């Protein structure tokens, strides 16, 4: 890179010639002597004083931006002082870490010869300049014998360097005498490209603002190789390759901190180092700041700084070291946004979940045009302030989210922020309710009205996809609605998601939903709703195998159900109690009696789904009581029987029924019949949250196969079950299955 003193002289000469002034004329207009002007233009004067620059700027009739750039070059020249370093490489760092793939890609492009320009882009703080310096150092010796020159384009400043002035700096660095640099910008471009075409040189354009600034500085199809760094992908540039720079990996982040701090400070501190890396969001700038802060405080441990960073309210304020600051890097990008896009970024901090699509983003901003919101989201991705996690889904980096939250508090009234958050929460629960209705019996209540129309899926598949994709958001809306006293709406949502929950029973969000439903029912003084929500909670515990808690909640449901005279909720409570008895160390006769009570009550209410469930439980209880023939008869009697009009429940109930019949046959030691029953259907196809169910069925299937002498088949089924139990996080069941696999392997070997 040219020295700043030389840069000042080259730019001054260019400005003087553009103004069509001789040295004598500029001297007369500015009051600066001809000799002093000559020394400046030849680089002998390393940086004139501010009053001299002001006089020159007035004489040249420079605008504010030109005046500021000239002053900046003069200031830098005075600070540099000594002899300038050779204009070859950017400054590299000894502790450079990671980026192996990016360096390999750059080396391949430099060798290939077809690509002459690469845009290295990504959010602020990702280390683009550092990577460019490292690439220049590694590539220059092998691929660019004529050296490397660079220029700082100041793209993120208020006064980016114009391309015409950048050309002066580059041509000067390439050794062109100042008097041979054309005044006309077009002619200057031609000389620059002609110079590059005859040399194997690497040009680094650091911090490009946009395409207009970078395009004149790109080479022709032959000659030099240009590496551009920018926060934007510069999608308008033709004939360039783009490499996006993201966060470091967890291991790379830890390694960078270890290299900055040195072994004595990091030995035995791996857990704290990993925690620091995570709190920094694996952002290289944040990691550098953390490493520098610890280096300057020998008494501090990594754990101490991690504790400070754990406080989200203080994190950005803590991520400062000298002139390095994460907040400052983010503020540069933020200031360059238009007001509507700043508003969007700020309000994305209100999201309860990680990522979002344009529909929810439009709710936050109150925009009617979703296409405009989509465009704004894409622009924020280009500016490095958002990440597109999957096509059409956008997320804030953790540190950007904290910055956006700060701006939200600083720039918007608390009442506006609160109203926006509540509008979002209301829309989310109305939309969840609208989606849930696809899985309820016909006649389920419509969502309550709202200012912003709810998401309206046109199919069960679209409804299911929305509920799964947005579940962190609609779950996160529950506390906001609860704080606002919107209890009826919470209950409405819980009721309309009742049958859908059965399809994805492993989701932890159900316990959250029904817990808020219970609080809402209590707040409203509605005992029937309270009983319903307690029964829903009993179900959430039962499907997780926590049968003591399931029974506790079901027994609690009996009191408000009886108080409300709600026979249906009493029946469901007894059904859940029966299921708990079957899985706890209770006499089987107790489970039979409780299941019979549930059946009688469901017969009174005429609830066909409840009857299907309670009769199936009764059959299972009979089997556990040693009455397998009776159990098989009960279960066979349910085959093909109508289980109500809840979408998908008939198929689900029949699949579980076939599984229970296979268990009955196992209990009767009718091994070959059991094998055929298991083959008839292992898991329901209409429900997604049935991993443990399928794993248990496969385990029982293996038992039947083993008794039929098919040890290889039994091992294969157990291996499938082991994978499913592990995926579901059921460690105890996975360990039991692994032990069975070992036993069968030994038996087969023997």
């Amino acid at each position: 890179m040219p020295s700043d003193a030389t840069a000042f002289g080259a730019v001054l000469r260019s400005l003087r010639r553009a103004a069509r002034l001789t040295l004598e004329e500029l001297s007369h207009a500015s009051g600066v002597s001809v000799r002093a002007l000559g020394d400046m233009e030849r680089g002998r004067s390393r940086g004139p004083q501010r009053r001299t620059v002001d006089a020159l700027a007035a004489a040249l009739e420079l605008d504010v931006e030109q005046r500021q750039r000239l002053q900046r070059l003069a200031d830098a020249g005075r600070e540099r002082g000594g002899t300038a370093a050779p204009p070859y490489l950017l400054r590299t760092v000894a502790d450079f870490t990671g980026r192996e793939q990016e360096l390999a890609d750059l080396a391949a492009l430099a060798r290939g010869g077809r690509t002459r320009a690469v845009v290295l882009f990504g959010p602020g703080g990702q280390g683009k300049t550092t990577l460019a310096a490292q690439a220049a150092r590694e590539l220059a010796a092998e691929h660019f014998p004529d050296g490397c020159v660079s220029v700082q384009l100041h793209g993120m400043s208020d006064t980016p360097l114009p391309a015409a002035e950048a050309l002066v700096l580059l041509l000067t660095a390439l050794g062109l005498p100042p008097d041979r640099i054309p005044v006309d910008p077009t002619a200057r471009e031609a000389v620059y490209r002609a110079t590059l075409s005859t040399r194997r040189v690497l040009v680094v354009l650091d911090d490009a603002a946009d395409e207009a600034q970078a395009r004149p500085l790109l080479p022709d199809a032959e000659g030099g190789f240009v590496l551009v760094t920018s926060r934007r992908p510069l999608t308008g540039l033709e004939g360039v390759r783009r490499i996006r720079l993201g966060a470091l990996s967890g291991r790379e982040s830890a390694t960078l901190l270890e290299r900055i701090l040195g072994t004595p400070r990091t030995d035995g501190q791996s857990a704290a180092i990993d925690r620091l890396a995570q709190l920094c969001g694996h952002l290289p700038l944040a990691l550098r700041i953390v490493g520098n802060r610890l280096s300057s405080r020998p008494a501090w441990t990594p754990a101490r700084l991690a504790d400070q960073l754990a406080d989200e309210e203080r994190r950005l304020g803590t991520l400062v070291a000298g002139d390095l600051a994460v907040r400052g890097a983010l503020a540069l990008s933020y200031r360059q946004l238009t007001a509507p896009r700043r508003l969007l970024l700020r309000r994305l901090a209100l999201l309860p979940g990680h990522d979002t699509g344009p529909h929810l983003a439009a709710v936050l901003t109150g925009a009617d045009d979703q296409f405009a919101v989509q465009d704004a989201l894409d622009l924020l991705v280009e500016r490095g302030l958002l990440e597109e996690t999957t096509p059409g889904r956008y997320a804030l980096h953790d540190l950007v989210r904290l910055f956006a939250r700060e701006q939200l508090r600083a720039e918007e009234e608390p009442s506006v922020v609160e109203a926006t958050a509540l509008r979002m929460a209301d829309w989310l629960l109305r939309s969840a309710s609208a989606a849930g209705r696809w899985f309820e019996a016909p006649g389920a209540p419509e969502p309550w009205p709202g200012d912003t129309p709810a998401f309206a899926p046109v199919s069960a598949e679209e409804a299911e996809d929305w509920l799964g994709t947005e579940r962190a958001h609609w779950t996160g809306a529950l506390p906001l609605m609860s704080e606002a006293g919107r209890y009826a709406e919470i209950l409405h949502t819980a009721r309309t998601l009742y049958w859908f929950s059965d399809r994805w029973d492993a989701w932890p969000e159900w316990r959250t939903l029904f817990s808020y439903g219970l609080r809402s029912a209590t707040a409203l003084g509605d005992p029937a709703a309270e009983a319903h929500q307690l029964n829903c909670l009993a179900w959430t515990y039962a499907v997780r195998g926590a049968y003591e808690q399931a029974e506790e909640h079901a027994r609690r449901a009996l009191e408000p159900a009886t108080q409300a005279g709600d026979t249906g909720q009493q029946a469901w409570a007894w059904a859940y109690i029966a299921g708990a008895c079957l899985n706890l160390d209770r006499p089987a006769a107790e489970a039979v009696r409780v299941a019979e009570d549930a059946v009688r009550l469901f017969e009174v209410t005429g609830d066909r789904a409840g009857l299907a469930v309670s009769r199936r439980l009764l059959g299972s209880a009979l089997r556990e009581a040693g009455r397998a023939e009776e159990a098989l008869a009960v279960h066979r009697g349910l085959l093909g029987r109508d289980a109500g009009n809840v979408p998908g429940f008939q198929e689900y109930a029949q699949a579980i029924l076939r599984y229970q019949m296979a268990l009955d046959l196992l209990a009767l030691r009718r091994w070959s019949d059991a094998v055929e029953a298991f083959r008839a259907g292992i898991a329901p196809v209409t429900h997604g949250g049935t991993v443990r169910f399928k794993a248990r069925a496969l385990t029982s299937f293996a038992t039947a196969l083993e008794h039929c002498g098919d040890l290889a088949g039994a091992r294969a089924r157990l291996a499938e079950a082991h994978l499913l139990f592990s995926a579901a996080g059921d460690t105890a069941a996975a360990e039991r299955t692994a032990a069975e696999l070992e036993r069968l392997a030994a038996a087969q070997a023997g």
Side-chain angles (χ1 to χ4, degrees):
M1 184 174 182
S3 72
D4 292 311
T6 302
F8 176 85
V11 170
L12 177 61
R13 181 184 181 87
S14 175
L15 292 170
R16 176 178 63 78
R17 296 178 68 183
R20 301 184 181 278
L21 295 175
T22 64
L23 281 175
E24 290 76 8
E25 289 170 335
L26 179 59
S27 172
H28 178 74
S30 65
V32 180
S33 71
V34 172
R35 180 176 179 179
L37 289 172
D39 286 345
M40 292 177 201
E41 291 192 2
R42 287 189 292 272
R44 293 175 182 173
S45 176
R46 302 193 180 281
Q49 297 300 314
R50 181 172 294 275
R51 62 178 178 275
T52 301
V53 177
D54 288 341
L56 292 171
L60 292 166
E61 298 182 354
L62 301 183
D63 61 27
V64 174
E65 291 186 4
Q66 290 175 315
R67 183 189 298 261
Q68 289 175 345
R69 283 193 297 273
L70 195 64
Q71 187 63 65
R72 184 171 60 221
L73 287 173
D75 292 343
R78 288 195 302 277
E79 292 168 3
R80 179 69 60 92
T83 304
Y88 296 121
L89 295 178
L90 294 168
R91 177 178 173 272
T92 58
V93 291
D95 49 31
F96 182 85
T97 301
R99 307 304 190 193
E100 287 86 359
Q101 185 60 55
E102 290 86 351
L103 287 168
D105 291 342
L106 287 170
L109 291 169
R111 283 194 303 270
R114 297 183 64 183
T115 299
R116 307 313 307 157
V118 176
V119 175
L120 187 64
F121 73 98
Q126 294 289 11
K128 297 180 291 296
T129 300
T130 303
L131 175 57
Q134 185 71 18
R137 187 173 72 85
E138 293 185 11
L139 298 176
E142 181 178 356
H143 302 290
F144 303 106
D146 293 325
C148 170
V149 297
S150 64
V151 64
Q152 169 59 260
L153 297 178
H154 301 288
M156 295 308 297
S157 74
D158 294 333
T159 57
L161 185 69
E165 293 184 26
L167 284 167
V168 173
L169 301 181
L170 288 169
L171 287 169
T172 303
L174 289 167
L176 200 70
D179 58 359
R180 290 183 55 194
I181 298 176
V183 174
D184 179 67
T186 303
R188 198 176 294 171
E189 277 187 53
V191 171
Y192 169 70
R193 291 199 174 98
T195 304
L196 286 186
S197 68
T198 62
R199 304 186 191 187
R200 293 175 61 191
V201 63
L202 172 63
V203 177
V204 180
L205 308 175
D206 191 35
D207 190 21
D210 52 30
E211 291 87 345
Q213 186 188 33
R215 186 176 285 110
L217 310 180
L218 298 183
D220 285 327
E222 297 181 0
F225 187 88
V226 173
L227 176 58
V228 186
T229 73
S230 178
R231 296 197 183 190
R232 302 172 58 189
L234 306 182
T235 51
L237 294 181
E238 312 86 353
V240 304
R241 291 287 294 274
R242 293 171 180 81
I243 298 176
R244 188 183 192 282
L245 206 58
L248 296 175
S249 69
R251 182 63 259 163
E252 289 170 339
S253 298
T255 301
L256 176 57
L257 287 174
E258 289 162 359
R259 288 178 177 173
I260 295 172
L261 294 171
T263 303
R265 294 287 300 278
T266 57
D267 274 352
Q269 297 287 322
S270 59
I273 292 292
D274 289 343
R275 187 177 172 218
L276 276 175
Q278 185 175 6
L279 290 168
C280 288
H282 307 291
L283 184 73
L285 174 61
L287 294 164
R288 173 71 57 188
I289 289 170
V290 163
N292 289 358
R293 291 200 68 187
L294 286 172
S295 296
S296 66
R297 294 167 174 80
W300 281 29
T301 64
R304 174 177 175 176
L305 186 53
D307 288 341
Q308 284 191 10
L309 290 174
D311 183 353
E312 288 192 347
E313 300 301 319
R314 298 176 56 196
R315 190 175 304 167
L316 288 180
T318 303
L319 288 173
V320 177
D323 62 350
L324 298 179
V326 170
R327 184 188 283 117
L330 297 175
L332 286 175
S333 294
Y334 182 74
R335 286 200 300 267
Q336 293 192 343
L337 299 175
T338 62
R341 288 160 182 164
R342 289 199 298 268
L343 175 71
L344 173 59
L345 184 73
R346 291 196 302 270
R347 292 192 176 177
L348 288 176
L350 293 172
L351 290 172
H354 178 62
D355 58 9
T356 186
H359 204 150
L360 179 53
V363 173
L364 285 169
T365 60
D368 295 325
D369 186 351
Q370 283 194 47
F371 294 107
V373 174
Q374 177 76 66
D375 290 342
L377 290 167
D378 288 334
L379 182 133
L380 291 177
V381 171
E382 280 203 3
R383 298 296 174 89
L385 291 168
L386 273 185
E387 300 170 1
E388 191 169 10
T389 53
T390 57
R393 300 291 297 182
Y394 304 87
L396 292 168
H397 184 281
D398 286 348
L399 296 179
V400 179
R401 177 177 53 82
L402 296 180
F403 174 80
R405 185 189 298 171
E406 284 187 353
Q407 300 309 306
L408 187 70
R409 293 172 179 170
E411 298 181 39
E412 299 196 38
E413 292 294 330
S415 59
V416 174
V417 174
E418 183 179 345
T420 301
L422 188 57
R423 182 177 71 236
M424 170 192 68
D426 177 85
W427 181 86
L428 283 165
L429 292 197
R430 278 190 292 115
S431 299
S433 178
R437 291 182 72 251
W438 281 90
F439 309 97
E440 292 290 315
E446 294 276 355
W448 60 98
D451 294 335
T452 305
F455 174 72
V458 297
S459 67
E461 292 75 20
E462 188 179 15
E464 188 162 21
D465 179 68
W466 188 91
L467 287 166
T469 301
E470 306 292 354
R471 58 183 172 143
H473 291 309
W474 56 256
T475 306
L478 293 166
L480 295 171
M481 293 288 277
S482 184
E483 289 170 12
R486 304 285 294 277
Y487 304 123
E489 290 87 346
I490 292 173
L491 271 177
H492 187 288
T493 306
R495 284 166 173 158
T496 49
L497 290 176
Y498 173 69
W499 283 109
F500 177 76
S501 66
D502 210 36
R503 303 172 70 89
W504 295 93
D505 57 20
W507 287 4
E509 286 81 5
W510 300 127
R511 193 167 299 170
T512 303
L513 173 62
F514 298 132
S515 293
Y516 273 99
L518 177 59
R519 295 176 200 172
S520 298
T522 303
L524 292 171
D526 186 340
E530 188 177 346
H532 183 215
Q533 297 303 296
L534 282 165
N535 276 327
C536 290
L537 284 169
W539 169 81
T540 67
Y541 285 107
V543 295
R544 292 291 185 128
Y547 296 107
E548 292 90 349
Q549 292 96 323
E551 182 181 14
E552 174 197 342
H553 283 78
R555 290 193 180 278
R556 282 177 58 192
L558 286 171
E559 181 179 346
T562 303
Q563 177 187 345
D566 192 328
T567 305
Q569 290 306 317
Q570 294 175 55
W572 279 110
W574 287 119
Y576 289 126
I577 293 168
C581 288
L582 282 171
N583 290 279
L584 296 171
D585 189 18
R586 302 283 179 78
E590 180 182 352
V592 171
R593 176 181 58 77
V594 174
E596 288 175 338
D597 289 342
V599 169
R600 281 194 296 270
L601 290 171
F602 278 125
E603 287 174 340
V604 171
T605 64
D607 184 338
R608 288 171 291 172
L611 271 172
V613 170
S614 59
R615 284 172 176 162
R616 187 182 71 235
L617 285 169
L618 175 58
S620 301
L622 289 169
R623 183 180 64 241
E624 296 302 315
R627 299 156 63 180
E629 287 287 2
E630 293 179 64
L632 184 59
V634 169
H635 288 145
R636 277 182 173 160
L638 291 172
L639 273 178
R641 182 170 292 190
D642 183 10
N645 56 357
V646 174
F649 183 72
Q650 178 78 19
E651 296 83 358
Y652 181 51
Q654 291 292 300
I656 296 179
L657 185 60
R658 286 191 293 270
Y659 167 61
Q660 291 298 327
M661 290 173 60
L663 294 181
D664 296 337
L665 292 167
L666 276 183
L668 291 168
R669 306 176 71 82
R670 292 166 55 179
W671 311 120
S672 59
D673 289 340
V675 166
E676 291 307 311
F678 280 119
R679 288 193 200 281
I682 287 291
V685 296
T686 57
H687 283 55
T690 54
V691 173
R692 275 185 289 266
F693 171 83
K694 185 174 182 179
R696 289 194 296 268
L698 287 166
T699 303
S700 300
F701 190 5
T703 301
L705 289 169
E706 180 183 0
H707 280 92
C708 289
D710 185 359
L711 296 184
R715 288 181 64 190
R717 302 292 81 74
L718 281 174
E720 289 182 62
H722 182 265
L723 288 174
L724 291 173
F725 280 132
S726 300
D730 193 336
T731 307
E735 290 175 353
R736 288 195 301 271
T737 310
E740 281 296 295
L741 275 168
E742 290 181 11
R743 181 185 65 78
L744 279 181
Q748 203 171 4

